[in-house]
Amino acid sequence: MNSPLRHPIAPELLARFAKIVGDKYAVTDQAALEPQLIEGRGLYHGRTPMMLRPGNVNEVAAILKLATETGTPLVPQGGNTGLVGGQIPHDGEIIVSTTRLDKIREVDATSNTMTVESGVVLAKIQEAAAAADRLFPLSLGAEGSCTIGGNLSTNAGGTSAVAYGITRDLVIGLEVALPDGRIWNGLSKLKKDNTGYDLKNLFVGAEGTLGIITAATLKLFPRPRAVETAFAGIPSPRAALGLLNLARERAGGSVTSFELISRGVLDMALRHAHGVRDPLANVHPWYVLMELSSQSREGLRATLEDVLSSAAERSFVTDATIAASLDQAKAFWHLRFMLTESQKPEGGSIKHDISVPVAAVADFIADATKVCEAMVPGCRVVPFGHLGDGNIHFNVSQPIGADTAGFLAGWGAMNAEVDKVVMKYHGSFSAEHGIGKLKRETLKKVKDPVALEMMRAFKRTLDPKNILNPGKML
Ligand code: FAD
Ligand code: 2HG
Ligand code: ZN
């Protein structure tokens, strides 16, 4: 039986919120709400009396104003693909969904900017950029359903950060509705604008705790004229670091993705993901999915071949294949993007979204593997991720046949031990997924106390009634 809600909201108040968006966009039917209450990993199942779907920034601002006046808690939600429970109403909060804020307001190919509303799905942004012969480089497995507002609010990383940076690096301006109902119009196309504090960076990565992002001006890049994609079998993470350095020496900024994949997680994709085939004939303990991009139509294939043959001479690479067609390149990426989903049928999976300095990745993986295998004999350590950024998804699946609940009960204990290894290498316990509900206690323990106090001060200033995403991050 459900425990009583900490935030029961009176029916008359719900009606006042519904009036702002109109009854059609104030969803109360519990069956319709159900998909918005569960996050992808099945770790959390929330509860809400209502989901509001505002259609413009003024409606968002009016919702926030009423929430502050009445002390009503709200949870912003975009595509509901976040991996730390930040978008889930855990205790009866109202969901504010951004999915109707779905307009691309402008593509300015000369200024290399695009202004979009926050509910636009990432894949649509990529498509709109390509239609203007430009590139919006942010790319991740959830791109078909996550929204740019969610990407900004989690400061998502993804598979192109090695060359283009994280979401924070891809935004120039923001429009944000504040908890008191004011609208900050910080939309701007200016690269240079030294007129005070960089406020937009306060909202990027704030996970919906300071304001609701309603629109953003994003950076566009030239669309590459040549893209080459290789899938390489490699002996070890250390060899992958050798390959990364070699690729950068020979191809410089053309290295636009560099993803490490363990055989264990590749096997899971082969077992469970539709349409995934092993790109190489033989089995290798590790793999690298590497992409090079260039503005020049000629010569990129030769550069990639040179990198791979030099890497083979140095024993960094055992075998490799270069995509012969766009479809083959897409197949490599399909394999990569199915890794998250493919861990689920294997039972319990304890996650660590960590980063360490790139040079320390191999040592981190070796040490953390020993730690986990000693804690849970038979567990399957299946790391993968964005090696070029030092960001590894150090995920651990339960021993075959083990009791899932029993294994998952050790989540906190395993996180704590792995985090000690992360700290040994001066890394981060949350590289790209954020804090949300999942990592809130760890944040309190490990974040610099002065930084935590500044964070709390910003929160108090902007959201004194703590109506926005209470119980998340701080
Ligand atoms: P939601 O899940 O709806 O929300 C995420 C957080 O942002 C919540 O705290 C929410 O309250 C807040 N929020 C959402 N919209 C707004 C807004 N407009 N204003 C204020 N707050 C808001 N992440 C990476 O960094 N790199 C990856 O490679 C990556 N790959 C993924 C692959 C898969 C298969 C999946 C399921 C997830 C992956 N993620 C990855 C997680 C990533 O955080 C999300 O996919 C994405 O950034 C969240 O967008 P969303 O629209 O789904 O946000
Ligand atoms: C990715 O890089 C995501 O695919 C998800 O960040 C990682 O499944 C995960 O833990
Ligand atoms: Zn990732």
Side-chain angles (χ1 to χ4, degrees), residues 424-454:
K424 174 177 160 193
Y425 292 108
H426 309 288
S428 168
F429 70 94
S430 183
E432 62 170 7
H433 297 158
I435 302 298
K437 185 170 168 72
L438 187 65
K439 300 186 180 177
R440 198 171 158 232
E441 294 309 315
T442 314
L443 184 79
K444 279 188 209 154
K445 282 188 205 131
V446 309
K447 190 86 178 169
D448 173 80
V450 178
L452 263 184
E453 195 31 60
M454 282 195 284

Side-chain angles (χ1 to χ4, degrees), residues 179-373:
D180 64 6
R182 283 177 300 163
I183 297 167
W184 172 49
N185 185 350
L187 292 175
S188 159
K189 298 182 186 177
L190 302 178
K191 181 173 184 172
K192 295 190 167 183
D193 180 16
N194 283 349
T195 54
Y197 301 140
D198 185 357
L199 295 173
K200 71 174 182 303
N201 269 321
L202 205 52
F203 295 97
V204 176
E207 300 182 37
T209 60
L210 297 179
I212 297 186
I213 299 173
T214 50
T217 303
L218 306 170
K219 284 184 199 167
L220 298 179
F221 295 81
R223 200 164 61 82
R225 295 303 183 235
V227 176
E228 296 287 352
T229 315
F231 200 89
I234 57 166
S236 64
R238 197 168 301 286
L241 289 174
L243 175 61
L244 174 63
N245 277 328
L246 189 69
R248 281 200 165 130
E249 258 168 54
R250 305 280 166 97
S254 297
V255 182
T256 42
S257 290
F258 198 94
E259 297 284 309
L260 180 72
I261 301 172
S262 60
R263 177 70 203 187
V265 78
L266 179 96
D267 273 335
M268 291 176 179
L270 293 174
R271 278 199 286 276
H272 306 296
H274 185 68
V276 168
R277 289 197 310 129
D278 191 338
L280 297 174
N282 294 318
V283 171
H284 303 272
W286 295 90
Y287 300 86
V288 163
L289 172 54
M290 175 167 59
E291 184 188 84
L292 304 188
S293 312
S294 166
Q295 291 317 115
S296 166
R297 284 179 208 279
E298 309 299 329
L300 194 64
R301 170 67 66 110
T303 305
L304 182 55
E305 286 169 353
D306 171 52
V307 168
L308 291 172
S309 64
S310 300
E313 278 163 22
R314 294 170 203 204
S315 303
F316 296 153
V317 164
T318 320
D319 190 13
T321 178
I322 299 178
S325 62
L326 192 59
D327 278 350
Q328 212 178 350
K330 279 188 186 157
F332 295 170
W333 279 112
H334 175 62
L335 184 165
R336 167 63 184 87
F337 284 155
M338 288 313 291
L339 298 181
T340 295
E341 211 47 38
S342 304
Q343 294 160 78
K344 289 183 193 164
E346 298 282 334
S349 169
I350 300 181
K351 317 282 184 182
H352 308 87
D353 162 38
I354 66 91
S355 64
V356 292
V358 174
V361 168
D363 291 331
F364 165 80
I365 291 178
D367 291 5
T369 300
K370 270 192 214 139
V371 163
C372 294
E373 289 176 348

